[in-house]
């Protein structure tokens, strides 16, 4: 335990604030998105325009992401640093991880667009086809994987071992979020396809892999 407490200072409030912020974000967007799907909550709030409602949700998720990243940085600054992680090799690894991670995040946002990235399907704004080109050909969840890599990159850059723990928390949380979100969005698209089939138009396979929405 002394080994561990040399590497992580669990008594710092900033650490727990970062943990709460990390846990909060996916819970927030899932609650809001399902409420939108069931009751059109946001769409009603902005006067009946689903696209505007989705942009509003996008702004809130994006802002919460920036706040979370800030709180993560503050937490790491107040944590013990590891001598080993201060080797130049780790700085190089950090830079590579950051490049790969941000490429995954930015390119998936580019491919999906704002409504595709920020839960537009819950607003009834569906993608016409499943995106299978880069970065979706290298990762099922490029937004989540890329975001996790950026967290790890920051941990290595700052040489703070606690960042590796927090990255594991982020990664695990995204895995849980996928288990919760994917069957639901799959069903949204399956429903669309059933309705299209009934109306006699050609059916495209259900889009799934809604892996995104986070920076
Ligand atoms: C993914 O697609 C990109 C171009 O869109 C291509 O350069 C790359 O080789 C592909 N990767 C895999 C693993 O298929």
């Amino acid at each position: 335990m002394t080994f561990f407490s040399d590497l992580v200072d669990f008594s710092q409030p900033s650490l727990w604030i970062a943990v709460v912020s990390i846990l909060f974000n996916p819970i927030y967007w899932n609650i809001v998105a399902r409420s939108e799907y069931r009751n059109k909550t946001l769409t009603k709030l902005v006067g009946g325009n689903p696209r505007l409602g989705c942009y509003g949700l996008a702004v809130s998720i994006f802002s919460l992401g920036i706040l979370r990243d800030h709180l993560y940085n503050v937490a790491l600054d107040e944590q013990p640093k590891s001598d080993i992680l201060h080797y130049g090799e780790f700085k190089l690894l950090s830079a590579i991880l950051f490049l790969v991670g941000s490429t995954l995040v930015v390119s998936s946002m580019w491919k999906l667009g704002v409504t595709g990235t920020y839960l537009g399907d819950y607003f009834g704004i569906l993608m016409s086809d499943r995106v299978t080109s880069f970065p979706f050909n290298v990762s099922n969840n490029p937004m989540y994987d890329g975001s996790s890599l950026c967290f790890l990159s920051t941990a290595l850059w700052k040489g703070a071992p606690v960042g590796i723990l927090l990255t594991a928390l982020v990664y695990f949380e995204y895995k849980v979020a996928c288990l919760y979100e994917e069957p639901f969005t799959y069903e949204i698209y399956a429903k669309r396809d059933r309705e299209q089939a009934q109306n006699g138009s050609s059916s495209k396979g259900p889009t799934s892999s809604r892996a995104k929405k986070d920076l």
Side-chain angles (χ1 to χ4, degrees), residues 57-73:
L57 179 61
V59 169
S60 73
I61 294 174
F62 190 80
S63 308
L64 280 170
I66 290 178
L67 175 64
R68 179 199 55 185
D69 293 351
H70 171 71
L71 294 171
Y72 175 68
N73 273 281

Side-chain angles (χ1 to χ4, degrees), residues 52-97:
L52 195 59
C54 186
Y55 289 152
L57 179 61
V59 169
S60 73
I61 294 174
F62 190 80
S63 308
L64 280 170
I66 290 178
L67 175 64
R68 179 199 55 185
D69 293 351
H70 171 71
L71 294 171
Y72 175 68
N73 273 281
V74 170
L76 260 51
D77 287 341
E78 293 180 353
Q79 286 289 318
K81 305 298 182 296
S82 145
D83 295 337
I84 296 171
L85 292 183
H86 270 295
Y87 287 135
E89 288 84 346
F90 283 107
K91 295 272 184 287
L92 179 65
L93 181 60
S94 163
I96 293 170
L97 291 177

Side-chain angles (χ1 to χ4, degrees), residues 142-200:
M143 185 77 65
Y144 289 162
D145 289 343
S147 171
S148 301
L149 289 179
C150 290
F151 272 89
L152 185 58
S153 160
T154 305
L156 297 182
W157 189 260
K158 291 182 183 276
V162 75
I164 297 171
L165 275 184
L166 290 175
T167 299
L169 177 68
V170 169
Y171 184 76
F172 177 73
E173 185 183 35
Y174 284 155
K175 288 282 162 219
V176 174
C178 283
L179 289 177
Y180 184 72
E181 294 166 5
E182 278 178 355
F184 197 83
T185 43
Y186 185 88
E187 190 46 43
I188 293 177
Y189 282 89
K191 184 164 173 277
R192 190 265 310 263
D193 289 348
R194 283 196 300 272
E195 286 166 2
Q196 281 184 348
Q198 270 177 5
N199 297 337

